[in-house]
Amino acid sequence: MVTIALKAAFVYYVVYWLDTFILSWQCLTRPIVIAPLAGLVMGDFHTGIVMGAALESIFMGISAIGGAIPADATTSSVIAVAYTILTGASIEEGLAIAMPIGTAMSSFGGLLTPLWASLAPFWEKLAVEANPKKFLIVNILVSFFTMPFVNAIVLFFAVAYGVEGLNSLLASLPVWVMTGLGAASGMMLAVGFAILTSMIWSGDVAIFFFVGYVLVKYAGLGTVPIAIIGAAIAISLFMSDKKLSDLKTSLTNTQVNVNDDEEDFF
Amino acid sequence: MVTIALKAAFVYYVVYWLDTFILSWQCLTRPIVIAPLAGLVMGDFHTGIVMGAALESIFMGISAIGGAIPADATTSSVIAVAYTILTGASIEEGLAIAMPIGTAMSSFGGLLTPLWASLAPFWEKLAVEANPKKFLIVNILVSFFTMPFVNAIVLFFAVAYGVEGLNSLLASLPVWVMTGLGAASGMMLAVGFAILTSMIWSGDVAIFFFVGYVLVKYAGLGTVPIAIIGAAIAISLFMSDKKLSDLKTSLTNTQVNVNDDEEDFF
Amino acid sequence: MVTIALKAAFVYYVVYWLDTFILSWQCLTRPIVIAPLAGLVMGDFHTGIVMGAALESIFMGISAIGGAIPADATTSSVIAVAYTILTGASIEEGLAIAMPIGTAMSSFGGLLTPLWASLAPFWEKLAVEANPKKFLIVNILVSFFTMPFVNAIVLFFAVAYGVEGLNSLLASLPVWVMTGLGAASGMMLAVGFAILTSMIWSGDVAIFFFVGYVLVKYAGLGTVPIAIIGAAIAISLFMSDKKLSDLKTSLTNTQVNVNDDEEDFF
Amino acid sequence: MAKKILSQEENSVLKSMFLRSHTVFINFNMVKMEANCFTITMAPAIESIYGDDIEEKKEAYLRHQNFFNTHAVALSFIAGLAYAMEKEKKETGAVDGQTIESIKAALMGPTAGMFDSLFFNCLRVIAAGIGIGLCADGNFLGTIIFILLYGVSQSVFKYILINLGYVYGTSFIDMVFETGLMTSLTKSASVLGLIMVGAMTAQMVNVPLNWTLTVGQTSVVVNDIINQIFPGLLGVVLLFTLVSLIKKGKRPTQLIFGILAIAILGALIGIF
Amino acid sequence: MAKKILSQEENSVLKSMFLRSHTVFINFNMVKMEANCFTITMAPAIESIYGDDIEEKKEAYLRHQNFFNTHAVALSFIAGLAYAMEKEKKETGAVDGQTIESIKAALMGPTAGMFDSLFFNCLRVIAAGIGIGLCADGNFLGTIIFILLYGVSQSVFKYILINLGYVYGTSFIDMVFETGLMTSLTKSASVLGLIMVGAMTAQMVNVPLNWTLTVGQTSVVVNDIINQIFPGLLGVVLLFTLVSLIKKGKRPTQLIFGILAIAILGALIGIF
Amino acid sequence: MAKKILSQEENSVLKSMFLRSHTVFINFNMVKMEANCFTITMAPAIESIYGDDIEEKKEAYLRHQNFFNTHAVALSFIAGLAYAMEKEKKETGAVDGQTIESIKAALMGPTAGMFDSLFFNCLRVIAAGIGIGLCADGNFLGTIIFILLYGVSQSVFKYILINLGYVYGTSFIDMVFETGLMTSLTKSASVLGLIMVGAMTAQMVNVPLNWTLTVGQTSVVVNDIINQIFPGLLGVVLLFTLVSLIKKGKRPTQLIFGILAIAILGALIGIF
Ligand SMILES: OC[C@H]1O[C@H](O)[C@@H](O)[C@@H](O)[C@@H]1O
Ligand SMILES: OC[C@H]1O[C@H](O)[C@@H](O)[C@@H](O)[C@@H]1O
Ligand SMILES: OC[C@H]1O[C@H](O)[C@@H](O)[C@@H](O)[C@@H]1O
């Protein structure tokens, strides 16, 4: 049991970590890739492949756009495969536990969100050192111990000591801690936008911040139409300035010519 | 009965009239203020206070924003208190009649709307006399005989001769008079806007009237987002003019310099 | 039977064709006009008039705005009258068949849509010849053989050989032909817009095409509010250019004056 | 835009305006709504600014007799601003009447929305909640607390905002004047004003035509047809008819009684 | 913009145009819709203006063979306006072809909406209502009244509006020309025209892809995916493909038959 | 805007950037999201451009440590563009840091929407569909095909787009510079950037106040009242509080821990 748990945690950890560096995002961590690999490592390749097909179907529709992930497809795939191989349960039984585990894992992941967020200033400091090699290396080193690491540990315990353990762990935290962490994540986004705003803000165009704002909140538009309308505004302003600068150029030239003429005249 | 009715009318009249001059709007006329006072005058302060609490709860949600008042909280509070004290009915019975009376009173108030509206030109004439003292005094004098006065009379009869009297009074008017008066109020608003429009209208920006119009009628926006979008437009136009005037200034200065140079040259 | 069918086809043909040239569109072809005329020609004026009233009521609500016609009121009116006169059926029975026939006829008309569309280049070529007399005459000649002609033939067969014939004719075409023709009509519209676009397109204002586009697709506005908003934009741009040109004029004049002064000076 | 130190006269004008600004609903009517209060509130400012210039005073009074409507507390802010603008108009000629109109028109709608929810829907409900608790036990303190929390605090905000409007307005106008862009400001203010008047017309003006045309066997709801052409078309037509009548010199009296007559006549013949 | 007194030639051109403008639906098709009628209506104007200048005439005819669609009565107004603009183009060079295009494009959509509801949905329904009442009793007068109320009155409006379009158009263009702002007008008209073409493309162009991609055990409705990227993306792509083909000199014939072929082929292989 | 022939150095920088751009999710967090990847991706460009100028390098690194979020493939395009802009900034001074910021901010939202549906919702689903079919039969080829169709092809697109962003960006900026309109470009880019930041703030920032004020017998949901005044007002207030703290020199660390503390404290006393 512990061996299988170790193997499960290991394959999860390696694949998830690799996904950050090669190919492109959310490719290796999809059930259809990781489940076969987990099966291979745990000694039942065939079960891994077949479960990979089923798990991919289950998690295909659950999209992870814009930073929010409703259920963690990767951990639950590994656990489901491990469970099936471990208990000799049928594939169907294995699949049945995938979704509840995925949801639990993803809400556990949500718990840690403020932790990673709190690293933001550290990264900024590091970046400003203007030492790109160091920045890259520290990023890689830290990436060893973030999400995949924490998840791998949880995954190990989950496989070794059962799903109940996981649930009771979450339940042992006071409710207000979880609520507070949840509230923090929506507010922390404002820090990034605030830095951005403070860089491009200027009094005479400030109102446009609110134009974008009300187009979302009152007119219910999304970013694509707003970008188009915004581009039209920006282009119009630019073109109007261009006309002004053309006029300036032409008038200045005229003046010079006037002077030239006068000089010729004398 | 008639004494109580007189007292009720009196307390209503004084408090409503005062509300126009001190503190701020719709404070003294709220049930929680007027009901205790009515109780006090009619000799049962405690009943007034307790009914004030209940009446305030009933009328709290009925808002009077934008000039339309669905039910008249003030008159019905006074009538309800008077009725309870008068008939020795239970407070519950007193409360039961409050809402129907409030609705009747407010539809009666609506009847008179065009009458007050028809005074508008009189006020304008008076204002143009540029005699502020006279304007203030006439306003105060007229305010003696408007809404609170009329309502006080109705209230007197309602308490003295019952609610049925009020209803039959309303019913005795031909329907088309009420309909016509109702129709007039929506149209009279156009007079105020027309004066406003004729003052700020000018051909080259006229289209913006319709921009505001369609943003309400077709895009379903309210005044806040429209004000923000409008401000963005106004600021952009202003800034573009500013650039033009800056250019003009800079070019004029250059010219002057050119001339200066030439003068130096000779 | 064949005589009546001929007469029906004839009256339909003449009236529909005339409608293209006199009075105004969709006047003579309305049931209330064509049904009495059909009755007259087929020998039962009264039935024609009465059925005209009923048919007009039926088809009144079916609007034909923007180029799409859900049911063909004209053909079905003629057929319904012919059927009633021919079979001695009651007026009610005659009316009963009007709507299904109208729908069939209009979907048959839809079939031919791409055919007429394919003539577009021919017309363009003809127009560019700059021979207006020829253009008019060819138009008239072709109009003899388009919609009303085809419909008259169908109408003839429908009356002569029954509605089943019409249905089976449509059914005999492979489904994909009808689907393809249907698909083509929505796409062919793009040709007209493309010509228009290529004429008024220019890089610096191109974005406004998409402004119009998103106001329809995302903000759900119709052409009226968009035209008003667009007019506001166009007027603002124009006014800003006007200010620029005024400035230019005033500056140029100043310069001339400066020179004039100088010349005076010498 | 440095904070201005107010002169004694300015202070006393503002104080008097503050007191007068309580009469928000004095002779309130559907044509001009809060115009009477606005005139009364502006009187000390107008008198102090225009002194003996009777013509300018008349114009100013007429200006502030126009349709006005917003929340009672917001009215004070706008009045403070209007004071600043009138002063600028007289002293530097930098602002004209149209700008003042436009800015007033632009501010009504949004401030109404914000202040109504802030004071009427929020502060009032809280104050009443506390008061009700006490009154239900027969304790008159509930009433007193309600008056303090709601009425008195609204008065305090009025006082703060009328000063804020004046100071902020003055410094804004100074800035514009220094850059010599007053005409541009007027035009821009007109644009914003017109947008808001258009929006308010769309929201508030209503010609409740209720006329079903029945000819033969069919009936047409005329208003539906008209609104299909352009929603609220009748209201727009009414407005511009009135505008053109005003430009032709018709007095508001005539317009109002005309409307009243038409409305009642219309109701009599059954089209309203 | 003073009212112009029309010369005899102008009057006779307008009269001829009025008569011709009745052919709204002559050889109507989905590509150009009412273009043939517009060409026919413009012919007297073009002949009168350009006389023997065959090149300019060709251009003008081509211009008025473009896609056109609005209500029959509104068409007359726009034709009157186009006459005024063509005249200005020839006589003063103040207007160019693109401006004429843009203004036509800008006016189609809104006039269609307004006139459709005014005439087709309102006047027609009223006229039919009256007519039906009489016809139901077997009285042919119902038909005649319908023709008078609906058909004849539309004709009358066409007559009035074609003149209005011409007179109003001329003075507007004169004004612009005097101030030497023609390029600006062209650009502004293009902006409005493009907005309207964009809007009409969004409303009318439709690529009815009906293709479900089934691979393995999943199936994807391709059109849904595409519309998620940008609603109506295929229509936009089609439009700009056509625009670039036109710029490369492809003739409309080729485009139309290309589309027809693709549509039928697509239907055959099951993607439409 | 002619196509530029890239120098060898440019090519090698772009190649290195391409490889680094795969780390989209490295140390991803809710404050800066993909900023670390963006910094890592920009490093070769920054090093190549600014060489020994340590101050400018610091600024550049800080600039590309800002909040960033879009789809993995779109990130490459924006990085290519940012490379072009940084180069222009150094070589000609034509672009400044604020312009770069604004353009990045303006591009995030729309590219996220488009690329998410293109790659994540479309290509991925198709690739998975094919893979599932094979895997269901126990065939590992399904997995390999999925990786090729989805992962590898995304990489290929990243490669193409990073180059496209660089080439297109350079020539655009050259054009602007020649006409001497850089300030105008900056201002226009700021306008677009601010609109997008406003839009994204509206969509994403959320202060989940969950506070019901119960006084006496009534209870008020505070957040409802606040949103009535201006929807999402608390988020806007939070944002501008942060902006002013940043302008006062507060470090992001402090802001983040401050928010964390307030959130947990708030949850403890029950207002979240
Ligand atoms: O929406 C843009 C982007 O947001 C986050 O970064 C993630 O959810 C990505 O998957 C997504 O592409
Ligand atoms: O909505 C603004 C304003 O409108 C009217 O004047 C009244 O209903 C006020 O109570 C309200 O504050
Ligand atoms: O909508 C404008 C116009 O479109 C098409 O040309 C036809 O349906 C007409 O009946 C209609 O008036």
Side-chain angles (χ1 to χ4, degrees), chain C residues 25-26 64-69, chain E residues 24-25 28 33-34 68-72 108-109 111-113 115-116 120 204:
Chain C
W25 168 69
Q26 278 219 3
I65 284 171
I69 302 171
Chain E
V24 184
F25 276 76
F28 182 89
M33 291 203 166
E34 304 164 354
F68 191 84
N69 188 44
T70 188
H71 183 268
M108 287 181 222
T111 52
F115 283 79
D116 276 348
F120 194 79
M204 298 166 82

Side-chain angles (χ1 to χ4, degrees), chain D residues 26-46:
Chain D
I26 199 162
N27 298 308
F28 181 88
N29 62 64
M30 292 308 276
V31 177
K32 304 281 191 89
M33 291 201 164
E34 304 164 355
N36 276 354
C37 170
F38 211 89
T39 311
I40 290 171
T41 305
M42 288 304 291
I46 294 173

Side-chain angles (χ1 to χ4, degrees), chain B residues 19-28 30 32-33 36-37 45-46 49-50 52-54 56-57 59-67 113-114 116-125 127-132 135-136 138-140 142-143 146 176-177 179-202 204-206 208-218 221-224 226-227 229-231 233-235 237-238 241-242 245-246, chain D residues 19-20 22-33 36 39-40 43 47 54 57-58 61-63 65-67 69 71-72 98 101-102 105 108-110 114 116 120-121 124-125 128-129 131-132 135-140 142-143 146-147 150-152 154-155 158 176 179 181 184-185 187-188 190-208 229-233 236 238-240 242-243 246-247 251-253 255-257 259-260 263-264 267-268 272:
Chain B
D19 186 67
T20 311
F21 296 95
I22 60 164
L23 290 173
S24 65
W25 168 69
Q26 279 220 359
C27 178
L28 301 185
R30 296 298 312 169
I32 199 173
V33 181
L37 296 180
F45 196 25
H46 181 79
I49 294 172
V50 176
E56 186 65 44
S57 308
F59 285 102
M60 184 147 49
I62 298 177
S63 96
I65 285 171
T113 304
W116 315 133
S118 68
L119 291 180
F122 165 73
W123 295 120
E124 189 172 311
K125 221 169 188 167
V128 177
E129 284 181 20
N131 184 341
F135 188 79
L136 181 59
V138 177
N139 255 289
I140 293 173
V142 171
S143 77
T146 54
W176 58 267
V177 170
T179 314
L181 293 174
S185 61
M187 292 195 273
M188 280 182 178
L189 270 173
V191 176
F193 288 126
I195 299 172
L196 220 57
T197 304
S198 65
M199 290 199 71
I200 60 180
W201 186 264
S202 93
D204 51 343
V205 294
F208 287 105
F209 175 90
F210 295 98
V211 170
Y213 191 90
V214 300
L215 287 179
V216 167
K217 286 278 186 191
Y218 290 92
L221 298 178
T223 43
V224 174
I226 293 176
I229 292 169
I233 296 172
I235 291 175
L237 293 178
F238 182 74
D241 279 9
K242 193 163 141 44
S245 104
D246 290 353
Chain D
L19 290 175
R20 286 156 170 257
H22 283 90
T23 61
V24 185
F25 275 76
I26 199 162
N27 298 308
F28 181 88
N29 62 64
M30 292 308 276
V31 177
K32 304 281 191 89
M33 291 201 164
N36 276 354
T39 311
I40 290 171
E47 292 302 316
I54 192 75
K57 267 163 75 171
K58 280 186 175 178
Y61 279 114
L62 183 61
R63 185 154 50 240
Q65 245 297 300
N66 266 347
F67 176 90
N69 189 42
H71 183 268
Q98 191 183 320
E101 272 312 315
S102 301
M108 286 180 220
M114 290 197 180
D116 276 346
F120 194 79
N121 289 339
R124 180 180 62 87
V125 172
I132 286 169
C135 285
D137 302 337
N139 189 343
F140 188 60
T143 302
F146 174 80
I147 292 175
Y150 182 50
V152 174
Q154 280 201 117
S155 268
K158 282 171 95 79
V176 172
T179 55
L181 276 167
S184 301
L185 180 67
K187 191 111 263 174
S188 303
S190 294
V191 166
L192 183 49
L194 276 175
I195 291 176
M196 293 315 295
V197 172
M200 287 190 289
T201 301
Q203 280 181 333
M204 297 166 82
V205 173
N206 176 28
V207 180
I229 303 175
F230 191 68
L233 179 59
V236 175
L238 173 64
L239 181 83
F240 285 104
L242 293 175
V243 168
I246 289 166
K247 297 224 156 159
R251 312 267 329 131
T253 337
L255 304 180
I256 284 165
F257 284 109
I259 287 175
L260 199 58
I264 292 184
L268 183 59
F272 282 126

Side-chain angles (χ1 to χ4, degrees), chain F residues 117-249:
Chain F
S117 38
L118 210 54
F119 287 98
F120 194 78
N121 288 341
C122 179
L123 182 60
R124 180 180 64 86
V125 171
I126 293 169
I130 297 172
I132 286 169
L134 291 162
C135 285
D137 302 336
N139 189 342
F140 188 61
L141 215 73
T143 301
I144 290 167
I145 285 179
F146 174 80
I147 292 175
L148 288 176
L149 279 184
Y150 182 50
V152 174
S153 74
Q154 280 202 116
S155 268
V156 171
F157 274 104
K158 281 171 94 80
Y159 184 79
I160 295 170
L161 284 172
I162 207 164
N163 281 282
L164 234 142
Y166 181 64
V167 171
Y168 178 81
T170 309
S171 45
F172 175 67
I173 287 158
D174 280 358
M175 190 202 67
V176 172
F177 189 55
E178 272 156 30
T179 55
L181 277 164
M182 212 54 223
T183 339
S184 302
L185 181 67
T186 304
K187 192 114 259 174
S188 304
S190 295
V191 166
L192 183 50
L194 276 174
I195 291 176
M196 293 314 298
V197 173
M200 287 189 290
T201 301
Q203 281 182 334
M204 297 166 82
V205 174
N206 178 26
V207 180
L209 199 65
N210 186 15
W211 180 23
T212 307
L213 201 68
T214 309
V215 265
Q217 299 174 339
T218 28
S219 54
V220 188
V221 178
V222 177
N223 214 23
D224 290 357
I225 299 287
I226 292 170
N227 287 333
Q228 247 180 306
I229 303 175
F230 191 67
L233 179 59
L234 284 183
V236 175
V237 168
L238 172 64
L239 182 84
F240 286 104
T241 311
L242 292 175
V243 168
S244 84
L245 290 173
I246 289 166
K247 297 223 156 161
K248 275 185 196 133

Side-chain angles (χ1 to χ4, degrees), chain C residues 20 23-26 30 32 60 65 113 121 124 127-128 132 139 176 189 195-196 200 204 213 218 227 241, chain E residues 22-23 25 27 30 32 36 47 58 65-66 98 101-102 110 116 120 124 143 154 184 187 231-232 253 267:
Chain C
T20 312
L23 292 173
S24 65
W25 168 69
Q26 278 219 3
R30 296 297 313 169
I32 198 174
M60 185 146 51
I65 284 171
T113 303
E124 190 171 311
V128 177
N139 255 289
W176 57 267
L189 270 174
I195 299 172
L196 221 57
I200 60 180
D204 51 344
Y213 191 90
Y218 289 92
D241 279 9
Chain E
H22 283 91
T23 60
F25 276 76
N27 298 308
M30 292 307 278
K32 304 281 192 90
N36 276 355
E47 292 302 315
K58 282 187 174 177
Q65 247 296 301
N66 265 348
Q98 193 185 318
E101 273 311 316
S102 301
D116 276 348
F120 194 79
R124 179 180 64 87
T143 302
Q154 281 200 119
S184 301
K187 192 113 263 174
T253 338

